[in-house]
Amino acid sequence: QSASLIRWYSISLSVLLTKVAPYAHMDLAKTHRYIGEVFFKDSKYKEAQIEYQKSLDKHIKASGREPQTKEASRLYVNIGDCHFKQKNLKLSLSHYVTARDIQEKLLGNEHPLTGMTYDKLAEFTMEAKGAERERKLEEALELAGKAKKIKLNRLNEHHPSVIKSYRIIADVYEAQKKTKEADEERQIIKQLEQTAEEEDHIEEALKNLKLAAEIREDRLGINHPDVAKLYENIMAVYKSIGRTHQAEKLQHDIAKRQNQQNKVTKTPDQ
């Protein structure tokens, strides 16, 4: 499958190069990033690094300067990850710091992407050895805590990205031999993962209910009792998980469609 993806992306690159000036089109940058992602998933970190760097170079060529964009910050993180996997720690840190600086300037300190880069910095800092290790572990704990706080500005506590920060904190406590604290964090993680799994089931149920309602509405019309019952069930699920605004919006949309249907079916004598 990976080989097929690489072949397909390579064909895409060839097509793009015949249609646009080399190094000047953002589609080229995206294609190199996609190839890099395939290599990284296959643990081919050197090859992935080369493709990510090509993608970043295309960004620089297209803008004429060092890019200060969300996409560029992601690429710096990608390249940093490749260096980290290859144990090129200084280069890894340099790329993570560059990504963080771009994100803080562009997105601010409340964007989840910034928090994710703080996670990377925490994981990097945990690798410290020797006399500095204890101090670096405290620093890693602070970085992971900051990452978690940033993400919680925009994300639910059971979001996978937030759980990752909890997991890093637990790993740091474990490295510090603080068993009690590590166990407490892992218990929180377990509860959050259960909540996330329950939400996944609810989302699947909502998806099926919506599909059933749409099919019934197409066949029977918006005013049919069976259709009304299905939409009532959807609104009840929304309210049960605290999405009252979505329930209210659905109710408003249904009322609007019912009024439209009533106008269509109304006879001239009425």
Side-chain angles (χ1 to χ4, degrees), residues 255-266:
K256 186 176 178 181
R257 294 206 298 277
Q258 285 173 333
N259 287 335
Q260 290 172 341
Q261 184 62 39
N262 290 337
K263 287 178 183 178
V264 170
T265 56
K266 210 171 187 182

Side-chain angles (χ1 to χ4, degrees), residues 64 134 236 254:
E134 287 305 314
I254 291 168

Side-chain angles (χ1 to χ4, degrees), residues 195-209 237-238 240-241 243:
T195 301
E197 187 176 353
E198 289 168 6
E199 188 167 284
D200 286 343
H201 291 319
I202 291 170
E203 289 296 336
E204 186 65 26
L206 277 170
K207 180 182 174 182
N208 292 331
L209 280 170
V237 173
Y238 277 141
S240 72
I241 57 176
R243 298 187 194 173

Side-chain angles (χ1 to χ4, degrees), residues 27-262:
D27 283 345
L28 289 169
K30 288 179 183 177
T31 305
H32 280 298
R33 177 167 61 82
Y34 296 151
I35 295 172
E37 288 170 357
V38 175
F39 278 133
F40 193 89
K41 286 176 184 176
D42 282 351
S43 302
K44 296 178 180 178
Y45 304 121
K46 183 64 178 176
E47 293 87 342
Q49 177 196 325
I50 290 169
E51 293 300 325
Y52 287 139
Q53 188 62 56
K54 285 179 181 178
S55 181
L56 183 59
D57 290 344
K58 300 296 183 289
H59 276 276
I60 294 171
K61 290 284 185 181
S63 62
R65 57 186 173 80
E66 196 74 12
Q68 299 287 308
T69 64
K70 189 190 294 188
E71 177 65 16
S73 75
R74 284 196 179 104
L75 285 165
Y76 279 112
V77 169
N78 293 148
I79 296 168
D81 287 343
C82 293
H83 284 303
F84 187 76
K85 290 291 187 179
Q86 296 174 88
K87 302 300 180 184
N88 301 324
L89 298 184
K90 286 185 178 179
L91 287 171
S92 176
L93 178 61
S94 171
H95 283 82
Y96 289 153
V97 169
T98 300
R100 181 203 60 192
D101 291 346
I102 292 172
Q103 289 160 0
E104 288 187 336
K105 182 179 178 180
L106 187 68
L107 307 171
N109 281 327
E110 295 187 356
H111 196 282
L113 194 60
T114 308
M116 290 167 68
T117 302
Y118 271 101
D119 274 341
K120 298 288 184 182
L121 287 166
E123 290 177 315
F124 172 87
T125 306
M126 282 182 67
E127 292 294 304
K129 308 291 183 186
E132 283 197 334
R133 181 160 172 77
E134 287 305 314
R135 182 178 65 81
K136 287 292 186 180
L137 287 174
E138 284 297 327
E139 186 180 333
L141 193 62
E142 184 179 339
L143 288 165
K146 187 170 184 177
K148 182 181 76 172
K149 184 178 178 181
I150 289 171
K151 293 174 190 176
L152 286 171
N153 286 314
R154 303 275 186 92
L155 304 175
N156 292 324
E157 194 171 23
H158 56 271
H159 190 281
S161 183
V162 178
I163 291 174
K164 179 177 175 63
S165 295
Y166 274 108
R167 191 167 282 113
I168 293 170
I169 291 169
D171 289 343
V172 174
Y173 280 137
E174 194 170 292
Q176 292 177 317
K177 306 212 179 328
K178 295 181 179 179
T179 307
K180 181 183 175 183
E181 290 87 342
D183 288 345
E184 287 172 353
E185 292 296 319
R186 297 203 189 283
Q187 187 59 38
I188 292 170
I189 291 167
K190 185 177 179 181
Q191 292 169 354
L192 293 175
E193 286 176 336
Q194 288 175 346
T195 301
E197 187 176 353
E198 289 168 6
E199 188 167 284
D200 286 343
H201 291 319
I202 291 170
E203 289 296 336
E204 186 65 26
L206 277 170
K207 180 182 174 182
N208 292 331
L209 280 170
K210 288 176 184 177
L211 180 60
E214 288 169 6
I215 292 170
R216 289 290 181 89
E217 184 179 341
D218 284 343
R219 292 178 180 176
L220 305 173
I222 188 66
N223 289 318
H224 195 280
D226 288 350
V227 177
K229 185 62 178 174
L230 281 167
Y231 280 121
E232 284 172 12
N233 290 339
I234 294 170
M235 287 187 279
V237 173
Y238 277 141
K239 289 175 182 176
S240 72
I241 57 176
R243 298 187 194 173
T244 308
H245 66 289
Q246 285 181 274
E248 291 172 349
K249 183 180 182 302
L250 179 58
Q251 188 173 28
H252 175 77
D253 291 343
I254 291 168
K256 186 176 178 181
R257 294 206 298 277
Q258 285 173 333
N259 287 335
Q260 290 172 341
Q261 184 62 39
N262 290 337

